[in-house]
Amino acid sequence: MDFAPGEVPIHIVAIGSTEYYMPNRNGDGFREEVCRKYHPTFVKSAKFFRGHKSGPDATFYGTVKLSHYHERMHRIELVAALFETDRAARAAGRNGRRADLELQKLARKEPISTSMGCIVSHDICSCCGNRAKSPKEYCDEDRCPAGGLKKFMGKLLSDGSILHADNPDPTFNDISHV
């Protein structure tokens, strides 16, 4: 990996596969084979944002240099470059800015909490298999034995699993400080 002057490398644990870590707090699950296949989209499509304020015209504070699916740990890990200087930020694009808040936290040896964002064509109910292109199409108690994603996403089921939306084809477009 190459880092330009003014870029500071950081290591991020982005996502754990659902089979080993459960879905995330938002009820999104990423199966191991999905993590293996789609983790490179972090490098291709994601930048380091704040608070999921992302998009093509959004301010960003770093770039993703490397994505790796760690087989033994069953998770996606990233190396990002945060912008320490205005020069590094400008070199990355017109919306690049210094990652002053994040770098101050790191200097104080405080953790930086992160959260990912992605785009999917649809998601799939972990219980009934319903495919939904949007939350409006989520299953409900009439269709799903677990009560449905509309009302019960995140519910602990009797088998010990958590009702969630599996994301079968993500394009990871955001890693945010939250």
Side-chain angles (χ1 to χ4, degrees):
M1 281 177 285
D2 292 323
F3 292 91
E7 290 183 336
V8 176
I10 65 167
H11 174 251
I12 301 168
V13 176
I15 299 170
S17 66
T18 308
E19 297 94 332
Y20 294 89
Y21 293 95
M22 304 186 304
N24 66 22
R25 292 180 189 165
N26 296 327
D28 291 310
F30 300 90
R31 301 188 60 73
E32 189 163 38
E33 72 267 9
V34 168
C35 291
R36 270 191 204 106
K37 181 176 180 180
Y38 292 97
H39 77 82
T41 64
F42 271 110
V43 175
K44 182 179 177 187
S45 302
K47 289 186 172 51
F48 191 94
F49 296 101
R50 290 181 180 157
H52 292 298
K53 294 178 182 165
S54 59
D57 295 323
T59 300
F60 63 98
Y61 302 88
T63 58
V64 179
K65 296 283 190 170
L66 177 73
S67 175
H68 174 74
Y69 184 71
H70 192 300
E71 291 290 339
R72 286 183 50 212
M73 294 301 291
H74 309 285
R75 64 190 190 192
I76 298 173
E77 299 183 20
L78 309 174
V79 175
L82 297 186
F83 306 136
E84 183 176 33
T85 64
D86 289 330
R87 183 177 180 184
R90 281 192 308 273
R94 68 179 174 85
N95 294 329
R97 299 290 183 272
R98 288 180 50 240
D100 53 344
L101 299 175
E102 294 79 9
L103 293 171
Q104 288 169 11
K105 285 184 88 167
L106 288 174
R108 294 189 305 262
K109 299 190 184 312
E110 295 175 14
I112 296 175
S113 299
T114 59
S115 176
M116 65 82 215
C118 68
I119 298 168
V120 295
S121 64
H122 66 284
D123 52 29
I124 302 168
C125 176
S126 63
C127 180
C128 72
N130 180 63
R131 294 161 108 45
K133 290 184 179 182
S134 76
K136 291 178 185 178
E137 296 179 1
Y138 279 168
C139 49
D140 56 23
E141 59 275 354
D142 294 335
R143 298 162 63 186
C144 182
L149 292 177
K150 275 187 184 172
K151 293 182 183 174
F152 297 105
M153 189 177 304
K155 175 183 173 184
L156 179 63
L157 302 178
S158 61
D159 67 359
S161 66
I162 294 175
L163 184 62
H164 65 277
D166 268 320
N167 293 273
D169 62 351
T171 296
F172 296 107
N173 61 351
D174 174 356
I175 188 75
S176 280
H177 177 198
V178 292

